[in-house]
Short mmCIF file of all heavy atoms in Angstrom, two decimals:
data_model
loop_
_atom_site.label_atom_id
_atom_site.label_comp_id
_atom_site.label_asym_id
_atom_site.label_seq_id
_atom_site.Cartn_x
_atom_site.Cartn_y
_atom_site.Cartn_z
N GLY R 1485 108.07 100.65 83.91
CA GLY R 1485 107.43 99.34 84.05
C GLY R 1485 108.26 98.16 83.62
O GLY R 1485 107.70 97.11 83.25
N LEU R 1486 109.59 98.26 83.69
CA LEU R 1486 110.48 97.19 83.26
C LEU R 1486 111.34 96.71 84.44
O LEU R 1486 111.95 97.52 85.13
CB LEU R 1486 111.37 97.68 82.13
CG LEU R 1486 112.35 96.69 81.49
CD1 LEU R 1486 111.62 95.49 80.91
CD2 LEU R 1486 113.19 97.39 80.42
N VAL R 1487 111.36 95.40 84.67
CA VAL R 1487 112.14 94.83 85.77
C VAL R 1487 113.05 93.74 85.21
O VAL R 1487 112.62 92.89 84.41
CB VAL R 1487 111.23 94.24 86.86
CG1 VAL R 1487 112.05 93.47 87.90
CG2 VAL R 1487 110.44 95.34 87.54
N VAL R 1488 114.32 93.76 85.65
CA VAL R 1488 115.31 92.76 85.24
C VAL R 1488 115.72 91.92 86.45
O VAL R 1488 116.06 92.47 87.51
CB VAL R 1488 116.55 93.43 84.62
CG1 VAL R 1488 117.68 92.41 84.44
CG2 VAL R 1488 116.21 94.08 83.29
N LEU R 1489 115.69 90.60 86.29
CA LEU R 1489 116.33 89.71 87.26
C LEU R 1489 117.75 89.47 86.77
O LEU R 1489 117.95 88.92 85.68
CB LEU R 1489 115.58 88.38 87.34
CG LEU R 1489 114.12 88.41 87.80
CD1 LEU R 1489 113.57 86.98 87.91
CD2 LEU R 1489 113.97 89.13 89.13
N PRO R 1490 118.76 89.88 87.55
CA PRO R 1490 120.15 89.85 87.04
C PRO R 1490 120.84 88.50 87.22
O PRO R 1490 122.00 88.43 87.60
CB PRO R 1490 120.82 90.93 87.89
CG PRO R 1490 120.11 90.83 89.21
CD PRO R 1490 118.67 90.48 88.88
N TYR R 1491 120.13 87.42 86.93
CA TYR R 1491 120.67 86.08 87.16
C TYR R 1491 121.25 85.52 85.86
O TYR R 1491 120.92 84.41 85.44
CB TYR R 1491 119.57 85.16 87.69
CG TYR R 1491 118.83 85.69 88.90
CD1 TYR R 1491 117.50 85.34 89.14
CD2 TYR R 1491 119.44 86.53 89.82
CE1 TYR R 1491 116.81 85.80 90.25
CE2 TYR R 1491 118.76 87.01 90.93
CZ TYR R 1491 117.44 86.65 91.13
OH TYR R 1491 116.76 87.12 92.24
N PHE R 1492 122.17 86.26 85.25
CA PHE R 1492 122.67 85.89 83.93
C PHE R 1492 123.70 84.76 83.97
O PHE R 1492 124.05 84.22 82.93
CB PHE R 1492 123.28 87.12 83.25
CG PHE R 1492 122.27 88.08 82.67
CD1 PHE R 1492 121.17 88.51 83.41
CD2 PHE R 1492 122.41 88.56 81.39
CE1 PHE R 1492 120.24 89.40 82.89
CE2 PHE R 1492 121.48 89.45 80.85
CZ PHE R 1492 120.39 89.86 81.60
N SER R 1493 124.19 84.42 85.15
CA SER R 1493 125.07 83.26 85.32
C SER R 1493 124.58 82.43 86.49
O SER R 1493 125.37 81.97 87.33
CB SER R 1493 126.52 83.70 85.54
OG SER R 1493 127.05 84.33 84.40
N GLY R 1494 123.25 82.24 86.55
CA GLY R 1494 122.69 81.67 87.78
C GLY R 1494 122.79 82.73 88.85
O GLY R 1494 123.03 83.91 88.58
N GLU R 1495 122.60 82.35 90.09
CA GLU R 1495 122.74 83.32 91.18
C GLU R 1495 123.32 82.66 92.41
O GLU R 1495 123.04 81.49 92.71
CB GLU R 1495 121.40 83.97 91.52
CG GLU R 1495 121.50 85.11 92.53
CD GLU R 1495 122.48 86.22 92.13
OE1 GLU R 1495 123.67 85.92 91.97
OE2 GLU R 1495 122.03 87.37 92.00
N ARG R 1496 124.19 83.41 93.06
CA ARG R 1496 124.75 82.95 94.33
C ARG R 1496 123.76 83.34 95.43
O ARG R 1496 122.61 82.92 95.41
CB ARG R 1496 126.15 83.56 94.52
CG ARG R 1496 127.14 83.08 93.45
CD ARG R 1496 128.58 83.41 93.79
NE ARG R 1496 128.89 84.81 93.57
CZ ARG R 1496 130.04 85.38 93.92
NH1 ARG R 1496 130.97 84.67 94.53
NH2 ARG R 1496 130.28 86.65 93.67
N THR R 1497 124.18 84.11 96.38
CA THR R 1497 123.28 84.50 97.46
C THR R 1497 122.32 85.58 96.99
O THR R 1497 122.64 86.34 96.06
CB THR R 1497 124.10 85.03 98.65
OG1 THR R 1497 124.95 86.09 98.18
CG2 THR R 1497 124.95 83.94 99.28
N PRO R 1498 121.15 85.75 97.61
CA PRO R 1498 120.61 84.89 98.67
C PRO R 1498 119.86 83.65 98.16
O PRO R 1498 119.46 82.81 98.97
CB PRO R 1498 119.62 85.80 99.40
CG PRO R 1498 119.85 87.17 98.93
CD PRO R 1498 120.39 87.02 97.53
N ILE R 1499 119.66 83.48 96.82
CA ILE R 1499 118.82 82.37 96.38
C ILE R 1499 119.60 81.09 96.10
O ILE R 1499 119.03 80.00 96.10
CB ILE R 1499 117.98 82.76 95.15
CG1 ILE R 1499 118.87 83.00 93.92
CG2 ILE R 1499 117.11 83.98 95.44
CD1 ILE R 1499 118.09 83.19 92.63
N ASN R 1500 120.92 81.22 95.84
CA ASN R 1500 121.79 80.05 95.65
C ASN R 1500 121.20 79.06 94.64
O ASN R 1500 120.91 77.91 94.95
CB ASN R 1500 122.04 79.36 96.99
CG ASN R 1500 122.82 80.24 97.94
OD1 ASN R 1500 123.90 80.71 97.61
ND2 ASN R 1500 122.27 80.49 99.13
N ASP R 1501 121.06 79.50 93.42
CA ASP R 1501 120.44 78.69 92.37
C ASP R 1501 121.21 78.87 91.07
O ASP R 1501 121.10 79.89 90.40
CB ASP R 1501 118.98 79.10 92.19
CG ASP R 1501 118.24 78.25 91.16
OD1 ASP R 1501 118.87 77.34 90.57
OD2 ASP R 1501 117.04 78.49 90.94
N ASP R 1502 121.98 77.85 90.70
CA ASP R 1502 122.78 77.95 89.47
C ASP R 1502 121.91 77.88 88.22
O ASP R 1502 122.36 78.25 87.13
CB ASP R 1502 123.85 76.87 89.43
CG ASP R 1502 123.26 75.47 89.24
OD1 ASP R 1502 122.34 75.13 90.01
OD2 ASP R 1502 123.73 74.73 88.37
N ALA R 1503 120.67 77.41 88.36
CA ALA R 1503 119.78 77.33 87.21
C ALA R 1503 118.86 78.53 87.10
O ALA R 1503 118.00 78.57 86.23
CB ALA R 1503 118.95 76.04 87.29
N ALA R 1504 119.02 79.54 87.97
CA ALA R 1504 118.29 80.79 87.79
C ALA R 1504 118.80 81.46 86.52
O ALA R 1504 119.96 81.28 86.13
CB ALA R 1504 118.49 81.70 88.99
N ARG R 1505 117.94 82.22 85.86
CA ARG R 1505 118.34 82.83 84.60
C ARG R 1505 117.91 84.30 84.53
O ARG R 1505 116.91 84.70 85.14
CB ARG R 1505 117.73 82.07 83.42
CG ARG R 1505 118.40 80.73 83.15
CD ARG R 1505 119.87 80.92 82.75
NE ARG R 1505 120.57 79.67 82.51
CZ ARG R 1505 121.34 79.06 83.41
NH1 ARG R 1505 121.46 79.57 84.64
NH2 ARG R 1505 121.98 77.95 83.11
N GLY R 1506 118.69 85.09 83.80
CA GLY R 1506 118.37 86.49 83.61
C GLY R 1506 117.03 86.65 82.92
O GLY R 1506 116.70 85.90 81.99
N THR R 1507 116.25 87.61 83.40
CA THR R 1507 114.89 87.77 82.92
C THR R 1507 114.55 89.25 82.81
O THR R 1507 114.88 90.03 83.71
CB THR R 1507 113.88 87.10 83.89
OG1 THR R 1507 114.30 85.76 84.12
CG2 THR R 1507 112.48 87.11 83.33
N MET R 1508 113.87 89.63 81.73
CA MET R 1508 113.33 90.98 81.59
C MET R 1508 111.81 90.87 81.49
O MET R 1508 111.30 90.16 80.62
CB MET R 1508 113.88 91.67 80.35
CG MET R 1508 115.39 91.89 80.38
SD MET R 1508 116.00 92.73 78.89
CE MET R 1508 117.78 92.59 79.16
N VAL R 1509 111.11 91.55 82.38
CA VAL R 1509 109.66 91.48 82.42
C VAL R 1509 109.08 92.88 82.29
O VAL R 1509 109.50 93.80 83.00
CB VAL R 1509 109.17 90.83 83.73
CG1 VAL R 1509 107.64 90.82 83.78
CG2 VAL R 1509 109.70 89.40 83.84
N GLY R 1510 108.12 93.04 81.36
CA GLY R 1510 107.44 94.32 81.20
C GLY R 1510 107.78 95.06 79.92
O GLY R 1510 107.39 96.21 79.74
N LEU R 1511 108.52 94.42 79.02
CA LEU R 1511 108.94 95.08 77.78
C LEU R 1511 107.74 95.47 76.91
O LEU R 1511 106.78 94.70 76.77
CB LEU R 1511 109.86 94.17 76.98
CG LEU R 1511 111.33 94.12 77.39
CD1 LEU R 1511 112.03 92.97 76.69
CD2 LEU R 1511 112.03 95.44 77.10
N THR R 1512 107.81 96.66 76.35
CA THR R 1512 106.82 97.12 75.39
C THR R 1512 107.56 97.75 74.21
O THR R 1512 108.78 97.98 74.27
CB THR R 1512 105.87 98.18 76.00
OG1 THR R 1512 106.61 99.39 76.21
CG2 THR R 1512 105.28 97.70 77.32
N LEU R 1513 106.81 98.07 73.17
CA LEU R 1513 107.42 98.70 72.00
C LEU R 1513 107.89 100.12 72.28
O LEU R 1513 108.64 100.70 71.49
CB LEU R 1513 106.43 98.70 70.83
CG LEU R 1513 106.09 97.32 70.25
CD1 LEU R 1513 105.02 97.45 69.17
CD2 LEU R 1513 107.33 96.64 69.69
N SER R 1514 107.48 100.68 73.40
CA SER R 1514 107.91 102.04 73.74
C SER R 1514 109.24 102.06 74.47
O SER R 1514 109.83 103.12 74.67
CB SER R 1514 106.85 102.74 74.58
OG SER R 1514 106.68 102.07 75.83
N HIS R 1515 109.71 100.88 74.90
CA HIS R 1515 111.00 100.82 75.60
C HIS R 1515 112.15 100.95 74.61
O HIS R 1515 112.11 100.38 73.51
CB HIS R 1515 111.13 99.53 76.39
CG HIS R 1515 110.33 99.51 77.65
ND1 HIS R 1515 109.23 98.70 77.84
CD2 HIS R 1515 110.44 100.24 78.79
CE1 HIS R 1515 108.72 98.90 79.05
NE2 HIS R 1515 109.44 99.84 79.64
N THR R 1516 113.19 101.67 75.04
CA THR R 1516 114.40 101.83 74.25
C THR R 1516 115.55 101.06 74.89
O THR R 1516 115.42 100.52 75.99
CB THR R 1516 114.80 103.31 74.17
OG1 THR R 1516 115.21 103.75 75.49
CG2 THR R 1516 113.63 104.17 73.70
N LYS R 1517 116.66 101.04 74.17
CA LYS R 1517 117.85 100.39 74.74
C LYS R 1517 118.26 101.04 76.05
O LYS R 1517 118.80 100.39 76.94
CB LYS R 1517 119.01 100.42 73.74
CG LYS R 1517 119.50 101.81 73.39
CD LYS R 1517 120.78 101.76 72.57
CE LYS R 1517 120.59 101.15 71.21
NZ LYS R 1517 119.84 102.02 70.28
N PHE R 1518 117.96 102.32 76.20
CA PHE R 1518 118.35 103.02 77.42
C PHE R 1518 117.44 102.63 78.59
O PHE R 1518 117.88 102.63 79.74
CB PHE R 1518 118.32 104.53 77.18
CG PHE R 1518 119.18 104.94 76.02
CD1 PHE R 1518 118.61 105.40 74.83
CD2 PHE R 1518 120.55 104.82 76.08
CE1 PHE R 1518 119.40 105.74 73.75
CE2 PHE R 1518 121.36 105.17 75.01
CZ PHE R 1518 120.79 105.63 73.84
N HIS R 1519 116.18 102.29 78.30
CA HIS R 1519 115.31 101.73 79.35
C HIS R 1519 115.89 100.40 79.84
O HIS R 1519 115.94 100.13 81.04
CB HIS R 1519 113.89 101.49 78.80
CG HIS R 1519 113.06 102.71 78.64
ND1 HIS R 1519 113.09 103.49 77.50
CD2 HIS R 1519 112.16 103.30 79.47
CE1 HIS R 1519 112.24 104.50 77.63
NE2 HIS R 1519 111.66 104.41 78.82
N VAL R 1520 116.29 99.57 78.88
CA VAL R 1520 116.83 98.27 79.25
C VAL R 1520 118.11 98.44 80.07
O VAL R 1520 118.32 97.76 81.08
CB VAL R 1520 117.09 97.41 78.00
CG1 VAL R 1520 117.77 96.09 78.38
CG2 VAL R 1520 115.79 97.14 77.26
#
């Protein structure tokens, strides 16, 4: 149940947005570093 948006330096294609940012959604206390 964990999803990452890999926009850690903005994003080029297909969204072309330098202000996009890396995001992790769905984190719980049961997640480990290996889940991430």
Side-chain angles (χ1 to χ4, degrees):
L1486 182 59
V1487 172
V1488 170
L1489 298 184
Y1491 307 151
F1492 283 48
S1493 294
E1495 187 55 299
R1496 296 193 284 173
T1497 54
I1499 67 171
N1500 295 305
D1501 183 359
D1502 69 309
R1505 286 297 179 263
T1507 308
M1508 297 181 188
V1509 177
L1511 279 168
T1512 70
L1513 292 176
S1514 64
H1515 284 112
T1516 68
K1517 63 171 66 72
F1518 305 110
H1519 284 87
V1520 175

